[in-house]
Amino acid sequence: MALTRTKISKLLITPTFSKMQRFAFAFARGSGNCFRVDPFRDFRSSSPFSSTSAATAVVPEENGSTVFGLVREYEDYRRNLYGGLTHKALLVDAVGTLVVPSQPMAQIYRQIGEKYGVEYSEDEILNRYRRAYEQPWGRSRLRYVNDGRPFWQHIVSSSTGCLDSQYFEELYNYYTTEKAWHLCDPDAGKVFEALRKAGVRVAVVSNFDTRLRPLLRALKCDHWFDAVAVSAEVEAEKPNPTIFLKACELLGVKPEDAVHVGDDRRNDVWGARDAGCDAWLWGSDVNSFKEVAQRIGVDV
């Protein structure tokens, strides 16, 4: 089955699973290749404690080069369109993509909490945290409003059973320091510098409270970015497309000129595509920022 570049581009960037599913079956019929489509894989929502780098919904059973060939053709098409680059802007998720906690959350809650009388084991803290985090936050349509203190006070007390305000403040402030976090990719700074020199604008797009900016400063990486779109400031949380549109506005680019990279399929991939951006899943579509740059068309 012959596919024009226009058709390929529409199929590969569509956020709608049903369209992707129809593409898989149509292409399989036309090419003779057999595809397995798992309609539930994309709907296995992740918790904030696990990676979401699941396989894509359409999986080639016999000839994996077919779909990857289409991806390469689409990216070649974009390079021809934009003078050697596939995108004019890169949007980057923060937690799980740019940075990760340096120690397990339950371990820190337990260690800091011991002097305040916290007796729960790390396993119990983790289980209680998960239950509290997954419950709807009834006090606001957003979890992270301004500094996010009311939400995090609820999470901490639910996880540990401790209502001591000093404990909460120590724990809350700890997660604003460079001790609490480290970069996912040690080459990130070099890559972002190369991207910006090549004319690619770079922004962080994150569901976070207002501690994100001081955290980026503490990690000495705030100067890597042309803009930061934080849900607590934008008043919209991923997957709401508003936050991606705000990031594009801050960078001065159209959504279709940007690609977003994040580790959560629902929040990052679906949300970005709903905004009209391209999107790559960290840990699946791309595994390093050097790979991101190469796909955009910048050598590092």
Side-chain angles (χ1 to χ4, degrees):
M1 178 178 63
L3 293 176
T4 65
R5 286 176 174 170
T6 301
K7 289 180 180 177
I8 291 171
S9 66
K10 288 182 179 179
L11 290 168
L12 291 175
I13 65 173
T14 177
T16 307
F17 175 78
S18 60
K19 290 183 180 179
M20 195 67 169
Q21 190 176 37
R22 288 198 297 272
F23 162 61
F25 286 119
F27 198 89
R29 286 197 299 268
S31 65
N33 291 322
C34 178
F35 285 80
R36 170 170 53 83
V37 179
D38 181 353
F40 300 104
R41 181 165 295 165
D42 270 311
F43 292 91
R44 294 169 188 162
S45 60
S46 65
S47 73
F49 329 98
S50 61
S51 172
T52 57
S53 56
T56 53
V58 182
V59 183
E61 289 282 0
E62 296 178 359
N63 185 4
S65 64
T66 302
V67 169
F68 293 118
L70 289 173
V71 171
R72 285 194 295 270
E73 185 173 349
Y74 170 59
E75 291 178 352
D76 288 343
Y77 159 76
R78 290 190 65 103
R79 288 192 184 96
N80 290 331
L81 196 64
Y82 295 125
L85 301 177
T86 61
H87 301 84
K88 296 179 180 179
L90 171 64
L91 314 180
V92 180
D93 171 48
V95 179
T97 306
L98 179 65
V99 298
V100 288
S102 296
Q103 293 176 272
M105 172 277 304
Q107 181 179 330
I108 296 300
Y109 277 40
R110 168 73 178 172
Q111 285 179 354
I112 295 178
E114 284 181 345
K115 60 184 176 182
Y116 295 99
V118 173
E119 298 180 350
Y120 293 150
S121 68
E122 290 181 21
D123 286 342
E124 187 168 4
I125 289 173
L126 178 59
N127 289 332
R128 292 170 67 94
Y129 181 103
R130 285 175 169 167
R131 287 196 297 270
Y133 198 97
E134 291 168 357
Q135 292 298 314
W137 175 235
R139 294 181 59 178
S140 168
R141 64 184 178 86
L142 302 175
R143 292 171 298 173
Y144 311 124
V145 177
N146 297 323
D147 60 14
R149 268 186 165 81
F151 173 74
W152 286 116
Q153 284 172 332
H154 166 69
I155 294 296
V156 170
S157 62
S158 297
S159 303
T160 64
C162 182
L163 298 174
D164 192 308
S165 60
Q166 288 184 310
Y167 168 54
F168 170 75
E169 287 299 324
E170 184 174 346
L171 191 61
Y172 181 88
N173 291 326
Y174 169 80
Y175 280 102
T176 315
T177 69
E178 69 278 7
K179 294 179 182 179
W181 306 88
H182 66 270
L183 297 170
C184 289
D185 184 344
D187 294 327
K190 180 175 67 175
V191 173
F192 293 143
E193 181 181 2
L195 284 166
R196 294 174 74 191
K197 283 184 177 179
V200 178
R201 307 275 285 170
V202 184
V204 174
V205 181
S206 178
N207 285 353
F208 214 108
D209 52 61
T210 51
R211 288 177 296 172
L212 181 59
R213 292 181 186 275
L215 172 59
L216 295 177
R217 289 194 294 271
L219 292 171
K220 297 180 173 59
C221 64
D222 56 313
H223 62 284
W224 295 349
F225 306 102
D226 299 294
V228 177
V230 190
S231 63
E233 298 172 355
V234 178
E235 298 184 351
E237 294 178 0
K238 295 182 293 185
N240 188 328
T242 299
I243 190 169
F244 298 99
L245 295 174
K246 182 61 176 179
C248 291
E249 178 187 330
L250 292 171
L251 294 179
V253 299
K254 296 177 181 178
E256 59 265 30
D257 294 336
V259 60
H260 176 71
V261 176
D263 69 318
D264 188 293
R265 190 181 300 278
R266 176 179 178 271
N267 285 345
D268 293 306
V269 176
W270 292 0
R273 289 177 177 172
D274 279 347
C277 303
D278 209 344
W280 298 332
L281 185 65
W282 181 261
S284 179
D285 298 324
V286 289
N287 295 286
S288 69
F289 286 116
K290 182 177 181 179
E291 187 178 347
V292 170
Q294 290 172 338
R295 286 192 64 170
I296 291 175
V298 176
D299 292 326
V300 180

